């Protein structure tokens, strides 16, 4: 019934999300492949079986199987997971073509290796669960962290998921962001460092309570501030809030806060902002006396 309703919406030009597919592609699968005697689940299982039959190289099917592992139907995700165990994961995630395909699925854009079927020129981004899986594989890649500009788009999109229900996606995005920051060339650091610092800092101001997410947030802030001390100029309020967080945060997060401030120390010494330095002295003195 859901499939029929989605098809009806597409035909009537109503907006409907067909995650990772164009509307035309969804219609083609629904009307030409799925039948009354063959469910979507059966089709997905048959596709996975075909993909690992030996007819295709790993490069051609890897990104599709990644999406399969995030299926909400356990029998499908298990089949995809089993199929991927037969692959060389590291070689696959270090392949730029595969990285581009995974990022394209995440963002809802088209790549030359995965053209859209039908009249549509765009596809919808994949589901939250699929985005989380994609990020896990991008984080394992040595190529993805420096695959500009989509790496930045993926990070910025991931940082926006600050609701409690999206905590796993936020954690996955922050883990990937750590890799991106650590491998960021000097020119990219200069161009994107302040923007990333600002976006990550907004997590500090949000309602995020997950300890892992907060620890990763402080790790990102620490690395960014250490690599470019100029970012810390004009950040007196953020620095003050960070000092206060040591006492207020849970123990595991507090360690991350201290590590963040420690990474900022060298940067503090290089700053020529007199007002900020006076503020820092007051903060440090207050912290020591309490």
């Amino acid at each position: 019934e859901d499939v029929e309703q989605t098809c009806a919406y597409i035909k009537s030009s109503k907006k409907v999300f067909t995650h990772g597919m164009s509307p035309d592609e969804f219609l083609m699968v629904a009307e030409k492949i799925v039948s009354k005697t063959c469910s979507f689940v059966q089709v997905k299982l048959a596709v996975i079986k075909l993909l690992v039959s030996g007819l295709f190289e790993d490069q051609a099917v890897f990104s599709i199987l990644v999406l399969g592992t995030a299926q909400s139907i356990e029998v499908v995700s298990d089949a995809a997971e089993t199929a991927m165990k037969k692959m060389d994961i590291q070689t696959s995630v270090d392949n730029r073509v595969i990285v581009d395909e995974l990022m394209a699925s995440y963002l809802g854009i088209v790549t030359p290796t995965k053209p859209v079927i039908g009249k549509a020129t765009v596809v919808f981004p994949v589901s939250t669960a699929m985005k989380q899986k994609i990020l896990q594989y991008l984080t394992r890649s040595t190529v993805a962290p420096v695959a500009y500009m989509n790496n930045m788009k993926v990070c910025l999109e991931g940082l926006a998921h600050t609701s409690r229900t999206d905590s796993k996606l936020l954690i996955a995005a922050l883990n990937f962001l750590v890799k991106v920051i650590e491998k960021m060339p000097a020119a990219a650091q200069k161009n994107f460092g302040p923007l990333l610092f600002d976006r990550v800092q907004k997590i500090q101001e949000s309602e995020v309570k997950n300890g892992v997410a907060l620890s990763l947030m402080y790790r990102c802030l620490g690395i960014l501030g250490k690599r470019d001390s100029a970012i810390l100029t004009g950040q007196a309020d953020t620095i003050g809030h960070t000092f206060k967080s040591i006492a207020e945060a849970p123990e595991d997060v507090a360690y991350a806060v201290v590590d963040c401030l420690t990474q900022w120390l060298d940067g503090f010494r290089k700053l020529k902002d007199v007002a900020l330095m006076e503020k820092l002295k007051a903060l440090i003195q207050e912290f020591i006396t309490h």
Side-chain angles (χ1 to χ4, degrees):
E1 292 181 3
D2 289 341
V3 174
E4 291 178 359
Q5 187 178 53
T6 300
C7 290
Y9 282 157
I10 293 172
K11 290 178 180 179
S12 60
S13 299
K14 291 183 180 179
K15 187 174 182 179
V16 59
F17 288 101
T18 53
H19 296 298
M21 305 171 70
S22 71
D24 286 344
E25 287 173 328
F26 187 93
L27 280 177
M28 184 195 73
V29 174
E31 295 182 344
K32 295 185 178 181
I33 301 177
V34 178
S35 66
K36 292 181 180 179
T37 58
C38 184
S39 68
F40 244 137
V41 174
Q42 290 172 309
V43 170
K44 290 177 180 179
L45 289 173
V47 168
I48 292 173
K49 186 176 181 180
L50 175 63
L51 293 178
V52 296
S53 64
L55 292 174
F56 306 97
E57 295 182 359
D58 288 357
Q59 175 179 318
V61 303
F62 185 85
S63 60
I64 301 173
L65 289 174
V66 169
L67 302 184
T69 62
Q71 290 289 311
S72 57
I73 304 165
E74 190 173 348
V75 66
V76 177
S77 59
D78 285 350
E81 291 279 6
T82 300
M84 292 193 70
K85 289 178 181 177
K86 301 175 183 178
M87 296 182 170
D88 185 334
I89 302 296
Q90 195 59 50
T91 298
S92 296
V93 297
D94 286 342
N95 184 306
R96 180 58 190 262
V97 172
I98 290 175
V99 166
D100 287 343
E101 289 177 358
L102 290 173
M103 288 184 172
S105 294
Y106 186 103
L107 297 168
I109 57 178
V110 179
T111 64
T113 54
K114 287 285 187 295
V116 178
I117 297 173
K119 299 177 182 178
T121 57
V122 296
V123 296
F124 284 102
V126 293
S127 67
T128 297
M130 291 177 180
K131 287 182 177 181
Q132 185 183 332
K133 280 288 185 181
I134 288 172
L135 283 166
Q136 290 172 3
Y137 285 101
L138 293 180
T139 302
R140 293 178 61 175
S141 171
T142 60
V143 175
V146 291
Y148 291 91
M149 290 290 297
N150 283 343
N151 62 341
M152 297 300 301
K153 293 177 182 178
V154 168
C155 287
L156 293 173
E157 197 282 338
L159 292 176
H161 294 273
T162 55
S163 67
R164 180 178 297 181
T165 55
D166 284 346
S167 60
K168 289 183 179 180
L169 178 54
L170 177 61
I171 290 169
L174 285 166
N175 271 315
F176 180 53
L177 179 58
V178 168
K179 297 290 186 181
V180 171
I181 296 171
E182 288 177 339
K183 294 191 174 185
M184 190 174 283
Q189 172 79 37
K190 182 178 180 180
N191 290 328
F192 302 119
L195 172 63
L196 290 174
F197 192 94
D198 179 67
R199 293 296 180 87
V200 175
Q201 180 195 338
K202 282 181 167 54
I203 298 173
Q204 193 180 42
E205 301 168 355
S206 70
E207 296 300 314
V208 173
K209 302 296 181 185
N210 185 284
V212 176
L214 291 173
S215 295
L216 286 167
M217 175 200 74
Y218 283 113
R219 186 177 177 188
C220 290
L221 291 176
I223 299 171
L224 286 167
K226 180 181 180 180
R227 292 195 59 177
D228 183 5
S229 58
I231 290 177
L232 301 174
T233 304
Q235 296 288 347
D237 290 342
T238 298
I239 296 169
H241 187 281
T242 304
F243 267 99
K244 292 176 182 177
S245 295
I246 297 175
E248 298 171 356
E251 186 176 358
D252 56 336
V253 178
Y255 282 121
V257 178
V258 172
D259 184 60
C260 173
L261 289 167
T262 302
Q263 292 195 74
W264 286 352
L265 279 178
D266 285 339
F268 290 156
R269 297 190 186 100
K270 298 174 185 176
L271 293 177
K272 298 179 181 180
D273 188 325
V274 177
L276 180 58
M277 291 304 294
E278 290 300 320
K279 176 78 172 177
L280 283 172
K281 288 179 183 178
L283 285 169
I284 294 171
Q285 186 174 4
E286 181 183 352
F287 178 70
I288 292 173
T289 55
H290 287 77

